[in-house]
Amino acid sequence: MKLVVGLGNPGVEYAWTRHNAGWLIIDSFVNRLSLSEPRMKFKGAFWGPVVMGGEKVSFLKPYTYMNLSGTSVIEAVRYQNIEPEDILVIYDDVSLPFGRIRMREKGSAGGQKGMISILGALQTLEIPRLRIGIGAPEGPIAMADWVTGKLPPNQRAKWDNLEDIAWDALNIWLKEDIQKAMSKINGLKFDGADEA
């Protein structure tokens, strides 16, 4: 059993914001799998399990707001008896330029508050993650304002390309393993992505 978690914030004011990159990727996965409406479970929207690549997979969008994501994830993990290495958390990362995606097998949260909450709730750093580059603030803008700011039209126009890479990453992780997914996905970028 695998659990794929996308981080974001509920509310129309957060739609298409940088901080909701994880939610946007989960929405893409759910659409590609033609899944029905989610169940309200584990303090969030929950789909599955479905079978992908020979694995049972569930998808979760916590509704707890970003900083409390761990309270949702730990409920799902305990209920489904999932090991930390069988979780994939998808979230925005300001340290990566827009258009870059990185998979990691484990490690710190790098300052991302949703991931800090999850690592704290599960008491381990050994959680795979898929980081979606949103770029660093441009000009004199506070970090909180940057991450909750809307993706500009030129980046929204390219978003489908990011979804394609994330979909490939998910499938490689499920069918092979995190190491193969990392070697194939890390470093990929699409035409028009921001340079590092």
Side-chain angles (χ1 to χ4, degrees), residues 37-114:
E37 288 298 306
R39 288 173 284 159
M40 294 303 110
K41 202 168 180 179
F42 312 124
K43 297 184 176 75
F46 183 78
W47 294 264
V50 297
V51 177
M52 288 182 67
E55 289 274 4
K56 286 185 177 177
V57 188
S58 298
F59 299 90
L60 175 65
K61 284 169 49 175
Y63 281 178
T64 53
Y65 289 94
M66 182 68 75
N67 296 2
L68 297 174
S69 299
T71 61
S72 171
V73 173
I74 197 166
E75 282 190 18
V77 165
R78 285 175 174 164
Y79 183 83
Q80 296 186 290
N81 196 27
I82 295 173
E83 295 298 322
E85 63 266 22
D86 292 324
I87 305 165
L88 182 67
V89 183
I90 306 170
Y91 59 90
D92 59 288
D93 192 328
V94 297
S95 68
L96 293 174
F98 178 80
R100 296 293 182 93
I101 287 182
R102 292 281 185 281
M103 289 196 85
R104 287 184 69 192
E105 186 173 11
K106 58 187 175 183
S108 73
Q112 213 281 355
K113 292 193 164 94

Side-chain angles (χ1 to χ4, degrees), residues 148-169:
T148 57
K150 302 279 186 183
L151 286 166
N154 65 314
Q155 291 184 351
R156 283 189 64 168
K158 302 170 187 172
W159 190 260
D160 287 354
N161 297 305
L162 273 176
E163 291 177 353
D164 290 342
I165 297 170
W167 178 248
D168 289 344

Side-chain angles (χ1 to χ4, degrees), residues 117-139:
S117 175
I118 292 169
L119 297 178
L122 297 179
Q123 293 292 293
T124 181
L125 299 178
E126 313 253 333
I127 298 174
R129 71 283 313 260
L130 183 64
R131 298 153 49 215
I132 309 297
I134 60 168
E138 299 168 357

